[in-house]
Structures are given as C-alpha cells and as structure tokens.
C-alpha cells in the first residue's frame, strides 16, 4: 500500500463526514487511516464520500493571513488591486509584475487543484464498481466528479498553459507519475467532454446544499465556450454561438435570478440560492471562511478578528472608473471606506482606501470572528453577461442581448443601453463585466482571453500586452500565463517552464 493511496483514503473519509452528516460527528470519526483504496469502495455510502472529497481542494487558495492569500494572485495581476501587507512578498511579485516560479500562490493552485483532479479520477474509476449501488445515483455522482475535474482543469489551463492531462488514478508505479504537458486544446477538449457527461447525469437544476447542479454545469460550459472563442484557441464565431446557446439555457430555465440588493451577495442566508449558482462551501465553527482578515484595513481596529492585515483592496483609480451614479460604488455596496471602531461602534473610522465589501461578513467582523460565508464561483450575473457578450459576437445586438446586460445595469441604477452598434455594445458589456465581477477571480481571465485591459483613466479598452497599470508597471507577453511552480519543474523533468520565467 503506497502513501498516495493512504492520503486519498484519509481525505475521502474525513470529507464524507462534513458532506453526509454535517458537523455533529466530524470530530468523532475513529481511525480513518484504516481506510485505503483497496478496502474502501465496498458500499454505497463510500460513493458519496469519495465524491465529496473532490470538493475540498477548492478551499485551499482562499486561505489568507499575514502572507496574503493565493486567491489574490489573479486580482493583483489585473493592476486593479493594492495592498498594505508589507510582508506578503508573493502579492508584490504579482502586483509589480516581478513574479517568479517560486511564488507560493501558484504552488497552492497547482498542488491543490491536481489533488482535486486525483480525487475525481479515483471516484470516476471506482464509484461504478461499488456493489449494490443504485444506477441513477452512480450517474449523478459521476456527474459531480466530471464537473469538478473540468473546473480544476479549466482553471489550471488558463493559469499555466501547457499542463499535464491526467485522467486515471495514479500510484507510485504509474507511467503518469511524471506526465508530459498536453496542449491547451487537448485540455479544453477534455473539459468540454467532462461537462457534457455531467449535463447528462441527471443532476437537478439547483442544489441548495452546495453540491454541483445542472445549472452550474451549463453555466460553466458556457464560460468554457466563451474562453475557447477567444485566446489562446481563437475558435471565434462557432464557440461564441455555443456559449450563447448554453447561457441561454440557464436563463430560460427560470431557475435563477439576480438578488434585489447587493447585501445579499455576502449574506450567509443566501448561500447556494437564487443568484448564487455555484459556490465554494464553508461553515462557521467547522470550516469558517478565512479571507475576512485580508479584506479589512491594516490595524484600524474595526474588527473582532485579531489579525487586520490590509491584504487587498481596490485601487482608487478603479473605483473612480465607475459612473458616479453607479450604486455599486456607493458606500457599503461593493466597497467601503469607513467603518465603526471595534471598541466603540458609535465611533466611525476613516479607512483611507476602498476595501472590498462584497465579501464582507458583518456578523463575523463585528461579533463572532468566525465567518459563515461561501465564496462565489458562478453567479447568475456572470451568466447574463456571458450570454450578452457571446450572443452579440455571434449574431450582433438583439433585444435579448440588451435585456441581459441591462438587468445588471438596472440593479446598479444605471440607464439602460439602447441603439448601440455591435462594436460599441461589445465594450459596454466588457465594462459591465469588469465592474460587476471584480474581485471574484474572473477579471484577469477575461483580460487574457480577450487580450484586452481596461484603462481606468480613459475608461476605454486597450491591448493587454503593453498595458500600463495606473501605478506604473507595464504588462509584457509573459504575463499571459503564470509560471509553473519551481518544485514541479524540478520534480518532473517532462515539464517546460513558461516563457519569460
């Protein structure tokens, strides 16, 4: 029995308790290391628990503290974020475009997401072999596994480019223990194939427990097609049409809707419902969300958290790029510039910057220091804007395109768009994506697939390569990808480092 199998067995068992029974028995699990791949997949409950283990690595990049947090990597890469956390060198390497392959943020993404892929491969191989397993349940579990494997690969291929494509369980004797890199096209082909299998697996349109739903599958597939239409594959019109059609299925299902207020974006009571199509799951007192310390200013004494790191906030130039009437930039909508003092809530503190309010847990910050918020992965707002962009590219302006983008603008209390030609509407939709989806690990991916950046001074779009951040650095071609972590290059001589690193 090799160490890899033991680790997978342990992780599978531990995570099964969280998903299947909640927190009550989590600490009572006895000797989980007794479970191994060889003796584990023997009863139907093991199928659910093995698939539940696939979700766990999604949480890893969200860890935050005085070293910053891996989730910040793609935010600093946009040039729209600042930090006051001097010791978070990984943040500054990305923010100032001086990144290296030793950056721990990239290592967290690579290691965690390949662990998720390994767990998915194990479930895909083993769940169908479990005795007395209901056939419909097997199909649904595999649908979740295929979606999650697609999610991990979709992020990895966009972050790192040519990456290993591993689709079967690996042990220490496997030929794929040190796999060669595959082309992005091969990776995307697997992603699409996995999501199509997930579509046909019988999953419900929604799932209030946070598990994968049909709505999540179709929404992610629309995003994948949208990305394939752009760089690096440049599939163009055919894939814009595919993206529009898939997003339209989600819209036409009438299963989702925009929240009426932005406060619901960070309301724990609204987890996994309405606008929140798919989220990374957290639970107060068991697995509390852990980015709260990073979105509060450095040592301003406003929070019940003992650590106030000032890890990430918006640049003032980005906030000023919104229309002055935009509700999203009004105090305590998407951003906040003032808050009450921790020892005297009648006293207001000027924070000196634009901190991120859309991920702010009021209860945790003011009383419990233990957050119950989930992290958004797919919001209905993103689906609407994906449809609007893709349909406009595929067939030009239409009533439904305008209806989709204007739903976002109406909530922001902005006038509806009307009468715009395709090119003008394109940039108007892009601007809504930048302003609506900021600080949700989306904007940098948009910049790379479009090869465009938003100039916050001129409020226009320009080429990504050659774009100058408002605080100085200029993007070069190497910033189209992140570096493959040094340890991975050293451990696997089949890999080649990305250009410029």
């Amino acid at each position: 029995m090799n160490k890899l199998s033991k680790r997978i067995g342990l992780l599978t068992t531990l995570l099964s308790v969280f998903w299947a029974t909640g927190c009550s028995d989590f600490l009572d699990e006895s000797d989980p290391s007794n479970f191994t791949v060889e003796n584990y997949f023997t009863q139907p409950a093991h199928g659910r628990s093995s698939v539940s283990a696939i979700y766990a690595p999604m949480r890893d990049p969200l860890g935050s503290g005085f070293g910053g947090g891996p989730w910040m990597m793609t935010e600093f890469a946009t040039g729209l974020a600042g930090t006051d956390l001097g010791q978070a060198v990984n943040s500054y390497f990305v923010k100032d475009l001086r990144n290296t392959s030793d950056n721990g943020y990239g290592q967290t993404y690579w290691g965690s997401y390949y662990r998720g892929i390994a767990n998915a491969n194990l479930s895909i191989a083993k769940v169908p072999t479990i005795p007395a397993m209901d056939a419909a349940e097997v199909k649904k579990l595999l649908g979740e596994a295929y979606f999650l494997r697609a999610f991990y690969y979709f992020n990895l291929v966009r972050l790192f480019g040519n990456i290993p494509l591993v689709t079967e369980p690996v042990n220490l004797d496997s030929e794929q223990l040190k796999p060669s890199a595959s082309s992005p096209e091969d990776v995307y082909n697997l992603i699409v194939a996995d999501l199509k299998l997930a579509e046909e697996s019988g999953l419900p349109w929604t799932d209030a427990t946070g598990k994968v739903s049909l709505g999540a599958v179709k929404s992610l597939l629309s995003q994948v097609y949208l990305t394939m239409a752009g760089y690096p594959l440049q599939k163009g019109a055919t894939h814009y049409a595919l993206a529009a059609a898939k997003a339209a299925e989600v819209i036409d299902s009438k299963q989702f809707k925009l929240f009426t207020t932005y406060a619901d974006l960070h309301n724990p009571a609204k987890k996994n419902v309405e606008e929140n199509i798919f989220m990374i799951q957290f639970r107060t007192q068991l697995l509390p969300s852990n980015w709260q310390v990073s979105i509060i200013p450095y040592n301003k004494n406003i929070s019940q958290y003992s650590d106030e790191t000032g890890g990430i906030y918006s640049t003032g130039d980005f906030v000023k790029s919104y229309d002055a009437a935009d509700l999203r930039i009004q105090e305590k909508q998407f951003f906040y510039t003032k808050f009450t003092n921790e020892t005297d809530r009648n006293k207001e503190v000027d924070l000196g910057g634009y901190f991120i309010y859309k991920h702010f847990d009021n209860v945790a910050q003011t009383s419990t220091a233990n957050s119950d918020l989930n992290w958004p992965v797919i919001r209905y707002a993103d689906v609407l804007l994906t449809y609007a962009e893709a349909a406009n590219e595929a067939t030009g302006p239409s009533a439904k395109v305008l209806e989709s983008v204007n739903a976002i603008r109406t909530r922001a209390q902005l006038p509806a768009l009307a009468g715009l030609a395709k090119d003008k509407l394109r940039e108007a939709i892009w601007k809504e994506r930048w302003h609506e989806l900021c600080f949700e690990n989306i904007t940098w991916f948009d910049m790379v697939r479009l090869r465009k950046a938003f100039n916050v001074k001129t409020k226009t779009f320009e080429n990504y390569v050659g774009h100058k951040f408002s605080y100085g650095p200029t993007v070069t071609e190497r910033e189209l990808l992140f570096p493959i972590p040094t340890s991975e290059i050293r451990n696997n001589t089949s890999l080649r480092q990305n250009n410029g690193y």
Side-chain angles (χ1 to χ4, degrees):
M1 232 298 292
N2 59 59
K3 292 180 180 178
L4 179 63
S5 297
K6 279 191 175 181
R7 289 178 66 189
I8 292 172
L10 174 61
L11 181 62
T12 300
T13 304
L14 287 174
L15 266 294
S16 72
V17 183
F18 173 65
W19 277 100
T21 64
C23 65
S24 59
D25 299 325
F26 183 72
L27 299 178
D28 298 329
E29 184 71 8
S30 59
D31 199 13
S33 62
N34 286 335
F35 294 99
T36 67
V37 171
E38 286 82 357
N39 65 22
Y40 186 70
F41 293 91
T42 59
Q43 55 183 279
H46 295 165
R48 173 72 265 163
S49 61
S50 73
V51 171
S52 294
I54 309 171
Y55 291 81
M58 299 175 75
R59 287 191 287 268
D60 294 347
L62 291 161
S64 302
F66 280 103
W71 69 274
M72 302 174 189
M73 185 172 81
T74 55
E75 299 305 332
F76 286 121
T78 66
L80 304 175
T83 182
D84 291 331
L85 188 51
Q87 63 266 52
V89 293
N90 290 328
S91 295
Y92 285 95
F93 285 154
V94 179
K95 173 181 174 291
D96 297 335
L97 304 183
R98 298 182 290 110
N99 200 19
T100 75
S101 58
D102 294 324
N103 193 314
Y105 295 168
Q107 178 63 63
T108 296
Y109 271 109
W110 185 284
S112 298
Y113 282 13
Y114 269 111
R115 187 166 65 254
I117 289 166
N119 288 344
N121 290 340
L122 188 64
S123 290
I124 290 167
K126 296 294 186 179
V127 167
T129 71
I130 296 174
M133 192 80 176
D134 178 75
E137 179 66 8
V138 169
K139 198 171 182 181
K140 289 179 181 178
L141 289 173
L142 291 179
E144 290 180 54
Y146 282 123
F147 171 92
L148 292 167
R149 185 169 73 174
F151 167 84
Y152 289 127
Y153 270 126
F154 185 41
N155 282 279
L156 287 169
V157 73
R158 292 183 295 167
L159 289 169
F160 301 109
N162 296 321
I163 59 170
L165 191 59
V166 182
T167 58
E168 297 177 355
V170 174
N171 59 40
L172 297 180
D173 300 319
S174 172
E175 292 181 1
Q176 284 204 306
L177 190 60
K178 294 185 177 181
S180 299
S182 297
S183 70
E185 182 143 17
D186 287 344
V187 178
Y188 276 102
N189 287 341
L190 177 78
I191 293 168
V192 171
D194 278 358
L195 291 174
K196 286 184 175 180
L197 288 169
E199 267 192 300
E200 302 303 319
S201 64
L203 293 169
W205 265 103
T206 64
D207 191 315
T209 69
K211 295 192 291 292
V212 176
S213 67
L214 183 60
V217 175
K218 290 181 181 292
S219 298
L220 185 61
L221 187 51
S222 72
Q223 294 175 1
V224 170
Y225 284 140
L226 185 69
T227 301
M228 294 174 74
Y231 292 91
L233 300 187
Q234 294 183 275
K235 298 291 185 181
T238 58
H239 281 63
Y240 279 123
L242 288 169
K246 200 55 60 178
E249 289 182 41
V250 179
I251 295 168
D252 294 344
S253 75
K254 307 296 185 184
Q255 297 293 314
F256 309 98
K257 62 182 180 179
L258 295 178
F259 291 134
T260 56
T261 70
Y262 295 124
D264 284 340
L265 294 177
H266 51 114
N267 178 0
K270 293 289 188 176
K271 298 196 296 188
N272 309 317
V273 298
E274 298 179 14
E275 186 166 347
N276 286 321
I277 297 176
F278 187 66
M279 311 184 83
I280 299 174
Q281 303 298 302
F282 293 89
R283 187 177 298 175
T284 186
Q285 304 301 330
L286 176 62
L287 289 168
S289 49
N290 46 14
W291 61 86
Q292 292 298 313
V293 298
S294 66
I295 61 170
I296 50 181
Y298 186 73
N299 287 350
K300 291 285 188 177
N301 298 317
I302 67 167
S303 174
Q304 288 294 316
Y305 285 94
S306 58
D307 297 339
E308 296 183 324
T309 71
I312 189 168
Y313 52 83
S314 175
T315 65
D317 289 324
F318 177 60
V319 175
K320 292 169 187 174
S321 74
Y322 286 72
D323 188 296
D326 196 319
L327 179 61
R328 291 170 292 197
I329 61 164
Q330 307 310 310
E331 186 70 15
K332 293 186 175 63
Q333 299 297 324
F334 275 18
F335 308 101
Y336 69 111
T337 64
K338 300 175 182 178
F339 206 75
T340 57
N341 182 270
E342 184 264 329
T343 57
D344 182 1
R345 291 301 177 190
N346 293 314
K347 180 181 178 181
E348 190 171 66
V349 180
D350 188 337
L351 307 180
Y354 295 92
F355 289 83
I356 303 165
Y357 202 66
K358 68 194 315 190
H359 300 311
F360 187 95
D361 187 332
N362 277 283
V363 173
Q365 295 285 358
T366 59
S367 62
T368 66
N370 198 282
S371 177
D372 197 39
L373 282 183
N374 286 348
W375 184 268
V377 176
I378 303 172
R379 286 201 286 127
Y380 186 55
D382 193 351
V383 175
L384 290 170
L385 292 170
T386 294
Y387 172 79
E389 180 185 346
N392 184 56
E393 295 298 332
T395 58
S398 69
K400 189 168 184 175
V401 168
L402 290 171
E403 179 183 359
S404 297
V405 67
N406 284 334
I408 306 299
R409 290 179 61 83
T410 297
R411 183 169 63 174
Q413 299 182 4
L414 295 174
L417 301 174
L420 295 179
K422 180 178 181 178
D423 290 351
K424 292 291 186 183
L425 183 55
R426 172 189 297 129
E427 293 208 4
I429 294 168
W430 288 350
K431 188 181 292 186
E432 288 306 316
R433 288 190 66 84
W434 258 249
H435 286 162
E436 176 67 26
L437 304 174
C438 61
F439 297 99
E440 295 181 43
N441 301 142
I442 291 172
T443 303
W444 181 79
F445 292 123
D446 281 347
M447 293 168 74
V448 171
R449 71 174 173 85
L450 295 168
R451 297 292 196 267
K452 293 292 182 182
F454 183 54
N455 187 315
V456 293
K457 298 289 190 181
T458 65
K459 302 183 183 182
T460 59
F461 287 87
E462 58 194 26
N463 289 337
Y464 175 63
V465 176
H467 169 66
K468 187 175 182 178
F469 291 170
S470 63
Y471 51 85
T474 299
V475 175
T476 65
E477 190 170 353
R478 82 167 196 155
E479 276 80 44
L480 294 170
L481 293 170
F482 286 94
I484 296 173
T486 299
S487 60
E488 302 300 330
I489 296 290
R490 288 175 177 169
N491 292 335
N492 183 358
T493 55
S494 298
L495 298 179
R496 295 293 177 268
Q497 186 56 272
N498 290 325
N499 291 336
Y501 294 104

